[in-house]
Amino acid sequence: MLTTTFPASTRAARRALSFSRRWNSTSAEPPPPGGHLPSIATSKVLRTTRETALRTPGIVWTDEDASGPSREIVGGRETRKMNTYQAVRDAMSIALSKDDNAVVFGEDVAFGGVFRCTMGLAEEFGRERVFNTPLTEQGIAGFGIGLALMGHTAIAEIQFADYIFPAFDQLVNEAAKIRYRSGGTYNVGGLTIRTPTMSVGHGGLYHSQSPEGFFMGASGLKVVIPRSPIQAKGLLLGSIRDPNPVIFMEPKVLYRSAVEQVPIDDYELPLGKAETLVHGSDLTLLTWGTPVYHCETALHMLASPGPSLEAHIPKSLRSAKIELIDLRSILPWDVETITESVSRTGRLVIVHEAGMTAGVGAEISAEVQRRCFLKLDAPVKRVTGWDTPVALQYEKFHIPDAIRIVDALVETLTY
Amino acid sequence: MYRQMQTMRRMEMAADALYKAKLIRGFCHLAIGQEAVSVGLEHGITKDDRVITAYRCHPFAVLRGGTIKGVIAELLGRQAGMSHGKGGSMHIFTPSFFGGNGIVGAQVPVGAGVSFAQKYLGQKNCTFAMYGDGASNQGQVFEAFNMAKLWDLPTVFVCENNKYGMGTSAERSSSNTEYFKRGDKIPGLQVNGMDIIATKRAVEYARNWTVNEQKGPLLLEFVTYRYGGHSMSDPGTTYRTREEVQRMRSTQDPIRGLQRYIEEWGLATEQELKALDKTAKAEVDAAVEEAKASPEPLIKDLWTDIYYKGTEPPFMRGREREEVHYY
């Protein structure tokens, strides 16, 4: 191993330089091998016991009368340990068994799909109902729209969210607008497009993008991104049964790494509602999908920084109470929950993997500053991917990590 | 059929006049000259077959269960319009007609999906997915061909070749202008789209092929001609000569063609046909007046039919800063 020695003065100068740059740079130092604790595997956000899983906020059991008084019935219900792809598969299995007009199609789904989300569905429900399509994203979307126009439940998979762009016209011009332009004669409420999204660490330009922001202006569509297996199952069943077309984006790095005890019964979670994961009063930290876990890590770093970070996090901030919110539905987004929170905390940091310019954070921060203008103590801060393509070798630096989030928290808290 | 063709032409002429009187705003694409396709198609299929097309959709909307008043009112942007005045020229629907479409080619894979549902449900029906010679070069048309043949869907792809994709002639846009041959393994037929007997027979043949014989999709090319421009803002004479349009009008007109058959076969006299022309004109005139009398859409409808009622976002922005609609 080569060792290079610098004169003490040069070293000091470098350290000073790196310190002064800290506020604008991605991170003070690369994360240690294995990542900062807690990782996804040990996340407190995940519900790993039956009791907590069955008490997931907002859960609606479909075998209960929705119009009756809400009850927290836990007894008699079972859970099973599942990762996200198994939970997604479970949701589709329920949809297929309860609805004869439901079909699942996409590239390679009959073999289980790239991420195994459809494993065994073709064997269980037949190849007429779970079938492969050609590599033809625009065709898949158009085909699904036609199917949904006939009143069918079309569950289509676009193999990677990066491949959704060829289908963009069909989704924005047809799926989103058909109800409006036909004056209510037709709709494609039965259409759900599933697609794996966000970075995987080594996806590169066409396998790590987060295109949710491109759909923000497409009123008529809904966009949903779950953070965990329980959320994935409940939100996917909610999306499939929602009477509007839904784009359901599954964070691909969570397919295997996020594991929870998932209720085996049929249940839904509400669309259009954010969930507050950690309550706080000093700053609102808003995110969705994979960065939920980076944010959780950042909260730990803020509260008890390791030796390498200690110098950078003022002692007065370590007891700050940060409110962590998972947005879950990107379109329409839960403006009430977010503005209520920001009105209390006076500070907002938004974290997403897509680039900053005209990302989802731009829309949210514009609306928040309008509604909470006099309540804000600091400018809304966005921690996002850069406005560059997601280049393979730079992916770690592209995607917001816990260090960048801590940096934003400190900056916003000390503004 | 004669009366319907004449009525469709009168309706499109009325739309032309209304556009020129500045009562119809926005886009308006007329199908004058192509009546044998729409009327012939309707007479060759059943009520439960489905049709989807892009531009030049007005006659289909009427023939598939709509009304002239509904179409004209939609063009005028009135409440009595078939999409309540929210769609306009390309956005007219009936339960068996999936409308026009503003994105040429986008309707073709949608049509494949519709016919998949028919096959899945075991219905004895098929879907006619129509597109023009211009749209035939869109990639998704070929995507739809492939899926339909792969799964042997009851889809009849109908290329209405009116020789010009907007202002570019077929020869200048397509390496192969024999559109009926572009389906790869899907067999195709070329049909004289100016002869309604031919179009009707071809459609019956295609329906039998896909529904009764279950041989999978079929491609039909109707060679036709539009007398007007692509849209109202196109005079239609910059990329083709007036003589060409005149020649087509005088030698190939689908209505005159049928008239000649009727007279040759002694089915009706000139007087009787003239009477039909008159009733067609009167019917259209009355519908136009009714449509004109219909009020414009209400402001509240600006925000309806975006999401299913009850599942909307909490609010939607309106036309100006202060106008935000809360659901």
Side-chain angles (χ1 to χ4, degrees):
Chain A
M1 193 182 195
L2 283 174
T3 48
T4 318
T5 44
F6 290 105
S9 58
T10 318
R11 234 182 295 155
R14 277 172 178 251
R15 199 177 299 136
L17 186 65
S18 74
F19 183 74
S20 69
R21 271 188 187 167
R22 200 184 73 80
W23 299 105
N24 292 322
S25 82
T26 51
S27 61
E29 60 189 51
H36 294 281
L37 286 174
S39 66
I40 296 169
T42 56
S43 170
K44 291 272 187 299
V45 167
L46 295 169
R47 294 169 181 266
T48 50
T49 67
R50 175 177 169 275
E51 282 64 35
T52 53
L54 292 173
R55 290 183 199 283
T56 298
I59 199 163
V60 176
W61 305 101
T62 52
D63 51 6
E64 278 187 31
D65 183 7
S67 61
S70 69
R71 292 179 299 163
E72 270 206 351
I73 295 192
V74 173
R77 295 199 186 274
E78 290 307 320
T79 60
R80 195 164 60 230
K81 190 174 169 185
M82 293 185 206
N83 61 24
T84 311
Y85 79 68
Q86 290 162 334
V88 166
R89 186 213 179 274
D90 195 39
M92 282 190 281
S93 170
I94 289 173
L96 284 163
S97 61
K98 289 204 171 174
D99 176 0
D100 285 344
N101 279 336
V103 289
V104 170
F105 54 93
E107 295 159 11
D108 284 349
V109 299
F111 312 130
V114 179
F115 293 102
R116 308 170 77 88
C117 291
T118 49
M119 280 300 276
L121 288 178
E123 289 73 18
E124 195 176 338
F125 296 98
R127 292 196 175 242
E128 311 79 54
R129 298 186 64 197
V130 180
F131 53 91
N132 290 335
T133 63
L135 306 189
T136 179
E137 286 79 16
Q138 192 173 20
I140 292 171
F143 179 83
I145 289 165
L147 205 48
L149 280 173
M150 291 288 279
H152 275 237
T153 304
I155 307 169
E157 177 180 298
I158 299 290
Q159 200 164 55
F160 281 85
D162 312 68
Y163 310 163
I164 211 164
F165 296 110
F168 197 67
D169 167 62
Q170 284 287 351
L171 295 173
V172 173
N173 272 326
E174 309 306 323
K177 296 179 177 56
I178 185 81
R179 189 191 302 275
Y180 197 82
R181 72 189 191 88
S182 69
T185 310
Y186 281 109
N187 71 80
V188 291
L191 177 69
T192 305
I193 304 266
R194 290 179 42 249
T195 187
T197 189
M198 299 194 175
S199 73
V200 71
H202 48 263
L205 289 99
Y206 296 148
H207 295 83
S208 278
Q209 295 177 78
S210 301
E212 67 267 20
F214 288 102
F215 294 97
M216 266 226 120
S219 295
L221 287 182
K222 292 191 174 182
V223 179
V224 177
I225 303 180
R227 67 164 187 276
S228 74
I230 294 177
Q231 296 289 315
K233 180 177 172 182
L235 289 170
L236 181 54
L237 280 167
S239 298
I240 290 169
R241 291 160 181 165
D242 189 89
N244 303 286
V246 181
I247 299 177
F248 191 82
M249 296 183 171
E250 301 157 3
K252 59 179 90 74
V253 84
L254 303 180
Y255 273 135
R256 286 163 183 275
S257 60
V259 179
E260 284 182 316
Q261 285 289 334
V262 178
I264 55 173
D265 288 333
D266 183 355
Y267 67 91
E268 292 174 26
L269 289 167
L271 268 52
K273 289 270 178 283
E275 185 185 345
T276 305
L277 302 178
V278 179
H279 290 274
S281 53
D282 297 327
L283 184 148
T284 304
L285 180 56
L286 175 64
T287 189
W288 52 90
T290 314
V292 165
Y293 302 94
H294 303 321
C295 287
E296 190 193 18
T297 308
L299 296 193
H300 283 267
M301 283 181 176
L302 184 73
S304 48
S308 61
L309 279 176
E310 232 167 0
H312 306 301
I313 299 178
K315 282 210 164 54
S316 59
L317 300 184
R318 294 181 195 174
S319 57
K321 292 190 166 44
I322 311 292
E323 182 145 299
L324 176 60
I325 301 181
D326 176 8
L327 191 62
R328 301 198 291 189
S329 283
I330 309 304
L331 180 69
W333 60 283
D334 188 353
V335 64
E336 264 81 36
T337 299
I338 310 309
T339 50
E340 186 278 326
S341 172
V342 176
S343 296
R344 272 189 290 106
T345 63
R347 293 180 163 88
L348 175 62
V349 173
I350 305 169
V351 184
H352 60 64
E353 288 196 3
M356 181 178 287
T357 303
V360 174
E363 170 63 22
I364 294 175
S365 56
E367 190 61 23
V368 165
Q369 70 83 20
R370 192 181 72 82
R371 289 176 177 238
C372 309
F373 188 63
L374 297 176
K375 299 276 176 62
L376 284 172
D377 297 321
V380 177
K381 176 82 179 173
R382 287 176 283 162
V383 185
T384 67
W386 310 121
D387 285 340
T388 63
V390 189
L392 177 63
Q393 203 57 8
Y394 305 111
E395 198 161 312
K396 278 189 187 60
F397 309 113
H398 186 98
I399 304 305
D401 58 7
I403 294 283
R404 277 170 64 190
I405 298 168
V406 165
D407 189 31
L409 293 177
V410 171
E411 182 185 318
T412 306
L413 285 166
T414 55
Y415 182 80
Chain B
M1 290 202 296
Y2 178 85
R3 185 182 54 79
Q4 281 180 334
M5 282 207 286
Q6 197 62 265
T7 311
M8 290 305 103
R9 180 164 297 182
R10 287 286 174 191
M11 176 179 76
E12 296 289 67
M13 284 163 68
D16 180 77
L18 288 167
Y19 190 93
K20 286 172 179 155
K22 296 195 171 158
L23 286 165
I24 294 176
R25 313 309 298 262
F27 293 92
C28 187
H29 304 82
L30 304 177
I32 300 175
Q34 302 181 206
E35 293 86 354
V37 175
S38 53
V39 178
L41 178 87
E42 186 57 33
H43 282 266
I45 63 180
T46 72
K47 286 272 170 273
D48 293 327
D49 290 327
R50 308 295 168 118
V51 177
I52 183 166
T53 185
Y55 290 50
R56 280 170 250 299
C57 65
H58 311 158
F60 295 104
V62 176
L63 298 166
R64 297 256 84 201
T67 59
I68 298 168
K69 174 189 167 188
V71 169
I72 296 286
E74 189 58 42
L75 296 178
L76 289 166
R78 305 299 171 91
Q79 279 181 34
M82 290 167 69
S83 298
H84 312 309
K86 293 164 81 163
S89 175
M90 291 156 261
H91 312 286
I92 311 177
F93 303 76
T94 76
S96 64
F97 174 58
F98 290 89
N101 194 309
I103 309 293
V104 295
Q107 75 282 11
V108 184
V110 174
V114 170
S115 52
F116 180 88
Q118 290 172 322
K119 185 173 181 178
Y120 186 91
L121 295 170
Q123 295 175 346
K124 290 260 162 246
N125 292 112
C126 61
T127 300
F128 288 79
M130 315 193 59
Y131 55 96
D133 48 301
S136 72
N137 295 319
Q138 288 274 358
Q140 55 182 331
V141 173
F142 295 92
E143 296 185 28
F145 286 169
N146 181 46
M147 285 190 286
K149 186 62 195 170
L150 186 66
W151 299 323
D152 270 340
L153 303 179
T155 323
V156 183
F157 296 100
V158 183
C159 178
E160 268 187 281
N161 174 11
N162 63 18
K163 310 226 175 75
Y164 296 90
M166 298 196 287
T168 302
S169 67
E171 290 73 23
R172 296 172 72 176
S173 73
S174 305
S175 59
N176 177 6
T177 56
E178 293 181 304
Y179 294 100
F180 67 106
K181 289 186 180 171
R182 294 178 70 169
D184 197 1
K185 289 179 86 176
I186 304 176
L189 289 174
Q190 193 178 43
V191 183
N192 178 1
M194 301 300 265
D195 180 346
I196 192 162
I197 307 292
T199 58
K200 178 175 182 291
R201 290 293 297 137
V203 166
E204 286 166 351
Y205 180 86
R207 192 175 187 284
N208 188 52
W209 176 279
T210 52
V211 178
N212 300 331
E213 298 182 1
Q214 299 189 2
K215 288 184 179 172
L218 189 71
L219 220 160
L220 291 180
E221 175 190 353
F222 288 142
V223 184
T224 180
Y225 199 79
R226 90 173 120 74
Y227 294 167
H230 163 70
S231 72
M232 292 306 298
S233 54
D234 166 22
T237 49
T238 49
Y239 46 88
R240 54 185 189 180
T241 60
R242 281 176 201 282
E243 290 71 37
E244 178 187 312
V245 181
Q246 255 327 311
R247 195 184 67 244
M248 294 302 286
R249 269 181 181 272
S250 56
T251 62
Q252 303 285 326
D253 187 75
I255 299 182
R256 280 207 212 163
L258 181 61
Q259 186 185 350
R260 224 174 8 253
Y261 285 140
I262 292 173
E263 287 173 1
E264 274 173 24
W265 300 336
L267 299 173
T269 66
E270 202 182 333
Q271 256 59 41
E272 286 169 317
L273 292 179
K274 282 238 166 79
L276 284 178
D277 296 353
K278 269 194 181 153
T279 49
K281 184 171 186 306
E283 188 187 346
V284 170
D285 288 348
V288 167
E289 288 314 312
E290 281 180 48
K292 274 192 197 166
S294 173
E296 291 185 354
L298 302 173
I299 293 293
K300 71 170 176 59
D301 283 327
L302 181 60
W303 294 282
T304 55
D305 295 325
I306 300 174
Y307 290 94
Y308 181 74
K309 210 170 166 42
T311 67
E312 302 99 341
F315 70 95
M316 195 79 78
R317 294 186 185 113
R319 298 165 300 178
E320 49 194 77
R321 206 168 64 118
E322 299 308 319
E323 192 181 67
V324 178
H325 181 78
Y326 294 90
Y327 287 101

